[in-house]
Amino acid sequence: MRISLALLILLLAAAWTGSQGMSFRSSTAKCCSKEMFYHGKIPERRILGYLETPSTCTHRAVFVKLQKGMVCVDPKKKWFQEYLRRQKEPNSTST
């Protein structure tokens, strides 16, 4: 009886951690809706980093990390393309 109770607890724990892992993975694959896009130019000094949305998203976007959170940006915007170009320059001191 003790062994079957222990096995039941282990099975429940495995099922719970498996479902938690699934929800964690799905929470990292977020997309941007049209209403979420920031349309202005963000000063380069305010950008802490960026993350591309998955290719499965309806709208291609980039999450731009700012000190107060993240915003969705169109990766084709001229200012963002210039930001990317400057980031790839060998002498770039920005992060």
Side-chain angles (χ1 to χ4, degrees):
M1 174 94 170
R2 287 178 102 173
I3 292 176
S4 60
L5 181 62
L7 286 173
L8 178 63
I9 291 172
L10 284 173
L11 282 172
L12 289 173
W16 182 79
T17 56
S19 68
Q20 293 300 309
M22 292 291 278
S23 65
F24 176 74
R25 282 191 295 272
S26 63
S27 68
T28 59
K30 294 185 179 177
C31 296
C32 297
S33 66
K34 288 192 308 186
E35 299 81 24
M36 295 171 64
F37 278 83
Y38 181 80
H39 297 286
K41 180 180 177 182
I42 300 172
E44 191 171 327
R45 68 183 180 280
R46 291 187 54 214
I47 299 175
L48 302 177
Y50 67 93
L51 176 68
E52 293 182 16
T53 57
S55 60
T56 56
C57 293
T58 304
H59 302 286
R60 296 296 300 159
V62 174
F63 285 111
V64 174
K65 184 177 181 188
L66 306 172
Q67 192 162 3
K68 293 188 178 185
M70 305 254 281
V71 295
C72 296
V73 171
D74 181 348
K76 295 178 184 173
K77 290 277 188 180
K78 184 178 178 182
W79 71 264
F80 187 74
Q81 290 296 315
E82 290 172 1
Y83 166 78
L84 288 178
R85 183 180 48 77
R86 283 192 292 277
Q87 294 303 305
K88 292 177 182 175
E89 290 176 358
N91 295 332
S92 176
T93 57
S94 301
T95 56

